[in-house]
Amino acid sequence: MSRLDVSVVIVSYNTRELTLRCLRELTDSRTEDVRFDITVVDNASHDDSAEAIAECFPEVRLIRLAENVGWGRGVNRGAVASDGEYLLLLNPDTVPVGRPVTDLLTFARRQPEHRIYTGRTLHANGTDDGYSCWGLPSLWSHFTFATGLSTVFSRYHWANPEGLPRYDRQSVREVPAVSGCLMLIERDLFCELGGFDPQFFLYSDDIDLAARAAALGARPILNPDATVIHVGGASSSSEGQRMKILRGKATYVRRHWSPPRARLGIGLLAAGVGLRAVGTTLLTSKRSRSVDWVSIWRQRHVWSAGWPQIDEPRPPQDPDLVAPQPTVPPPPVDRPATHAADPAADRAGAVSRPGG
């Protein structure tokens, strides 16, 4: 049998009902001219997700992990277990509209020079939720966060360049970076990149991949005809999630910027957190605060260090051939964690920028 056109990879963690709904709609969206398989990587869920998937969708390749390894490392495992010409990364909290797999693949084959593709991620009412593409981090975007401009003027591109507000997502256009919520990528390019950097447990992993792909000549592009409803598109407000977002951003700048520039970038992030901590303390009551910025400020030594490095084989090699060994121990946390690391639910529920 000839090679499949697309391998869909979904990373799931305690999202049983959302994942089942996504799989139902994805299965119903099949067309005769595009052949694809589905791999679900279950990140040691404890809500019986794996058992339900195995029972309801026996045709789906199910990878049950013994521990929660994070989103990017989960995708890497799903990628090496499959063999489609293209990889389609899809959040478990998405609901395909029409035939997004066929629409993305058809578009990709007409414009193969771009190598990375996305579509539109929508609210339930059909409006764009703004999660399918992003701007790359820069000193300016960090400065606007540090000064509060990205919050006060969040609807303006000059103040919120990573969020791409007022960006036309209803026409074909090249984009700076594609979200892992809905990403089609050539398998050859994915393997050439070594997949996702395993250091990123969550957040900015897709931005990191986009930046590395651009260095190899890829030009990510949006096809508005391919659409999914993004059920978790509302921004989350928990400080646990903000901590993960900031750790991802700190890891990104340490990876991509020079040491002096990275120190400045992380300093600007800290300034932005400090500003919000002071502002919420002075202007709002404790009960009404949506995010505990004071707590995040107190733990700045945790998130500013980024995620610990992970040493494991990367695609096209199988990461599970060698047990991963952290090369840098995680920094201590000031207080007991109150939010479990939840890559699927976190990615579903929050914008991967700390601009709020």
Side-chain angles (χ1 to χ4, degrees):
M1 184 177 291
S2 61
R3 187 181 192 184
L4 292 173
D5 299 305
V6 178
S7 287
V8 180
V9 177
I10 299 170
V11 177
S12 174
Y13 179 74
N14 291 336
T15 52
R16 170 178 165 162
E17 296 307 316
L18 289 172
T19 304
L20 292 175
R21 180 182 180 185
C22 177
L23 291 173
R24 282 193 294 270
E25 298 298 329
L26 190 58
T27 299
D28 290 344
S29 74
R30 289 184 182 275
T31 61
E32 294 182 358
D33 50 334
V34 172
R35 297 171 54 243
F36 66 87
D37 64 357
I38 305 170
T39 299
V40 174
V41 181
D42 183 73
N43 251 331
S45 296
H46 45 77
D47 66 347
D48 296 324
S49 289
E51 291 75 10
I53 293 167
E55 178 181 354
C56 298
F57 298 94
E59 73 280 10
V60 168
R61 181 184 295 107
L62 177 62
I63 300 175
R64 304 180 191 226
L65 300 183
E67 63 174 329
N68 184 352
V69 300
W71 184 79
R73 292 172 66 195
V75 171
N76 286 352
R77 284 155 173 76
V80 299
S82 58
D83 189 45
E85 179 185 357
Y86 286 82
L87 289 166
L88 176 59
L89 314 183
L90 198 61
N91 260 24
D93 68 329
T94 56
V95 181
V97 177
R99 47 176 206 169
V101 182
T102 296
D103 290 337
L104 280 172
L105 180 67
T106 302
F107 182 83
R109 286 182 166 163
R110 289 174 180 168
Q111 303 196 48
E113 67 276 10
H114 292 280
R115 309 189 76 182
I116 300 180
Y117 310 84
T118 191
R120 295 170 61 204
T121 51
L122 310 176
H123 294 295
N125 63 7
T127 59
D128 282 284
D129 72 357
Y131 287 135
S132 66
C133 56
W134 301 100
L136 293 174
S138 64
L139 281 178
W140 174 252
S141 67
H142 282 224
F143 173 79
T144 61
F145 175 73
T147 56
L149 292 172
S150 62
T151 298
V152 177
F153 300 105
S154 61
R155 296 185 178 182
Y156 295 90
H157 182 270
W158 64 268
N160 184 21
E162 293 182 37
L164 301 180
R166 303 185 180 183
Y167 202 70
D168 180 12
R169 292 174 172 85
Q170 299 187 42
S171 62
V172 173
R173 64 183 306 171
E174 293 187 17
V175 296
V178 167
S179 168
C181 174
L182 176 63
M183 176 193 295
L184 184 76
I185 181 171
E186 286 182 1
R187 177 178 293 275
D188 288 347
L189 174 60
F190 188 82
C191 290
E192 187 177 358
L193 292 167
F196 286 98
D197 186 335
Q199 181 174 357
F200 291 85
F201 181 83
L202 191 63
Y203 295 121
S204 293
D205 37 19
D206 43 9
I207 307 302
D208 166 78
L209 183 108
R212 291 187 288 120
L216 295 180
R219 292 154 46 205
I221 191 169
L222 182 148
N223 171 21
D225 293 333
T227 57
V228 298
I229 294 173
H230 189 197
V231 177
S235 179
S236 171
S237 61
S238 75
E239 61 268 20
Q241 194 159 46
R242 294 282 179 168
M243 285 278 293
K244 298 184 189 103
I245 292 171
L246 288 163
R247 290 186 81 166
K249 291 189 72 65
T251 303
Y252 177 90
V253 300
R254 291 179 185 276
R255 281 293 209 206
H256 289 270
W257 296 2
S258 67
R261 189 181 182 201
R263 286 193 294 270
L264 177 56
I266 292 172
L268 290 170
L269 290 177
V273 171
L275 176 68
R276 287 158 178 78
V278 171
T280 55
T281 299
L282 296 177
L283 301 177
T284 62
S285 67
K286 186 174 182 180
R287 180 174 296 179
S288 65
R289 294 172 195 164
S290 59
V291 178
D292 188 353
W293 287 106
V294 174
S295 175
I296 297 172
W297 168 255
R298 289 172 177 165
Q299 297 186 77
R300 60 192 180 278
H301 68 284
V302 176
W303 56 258
S304 64
W307 296 110
Q309 293 185 11
I310 297 292
D311 182 19
E312 69 178 13
R314 296 170 63 172
Q317 300 179 67
D318 187 344
D320 290 323
L321 290 178
V322 179
Q325 299 293 328
T327 57
V328 178
V333 179
D334 287 347
R335 59 186 175 84
T338 57
H339 298 275
D342 184 342
D346 277 349
R347 180 176 291 275
V351 62
S352 50
R353 308 291 173 275

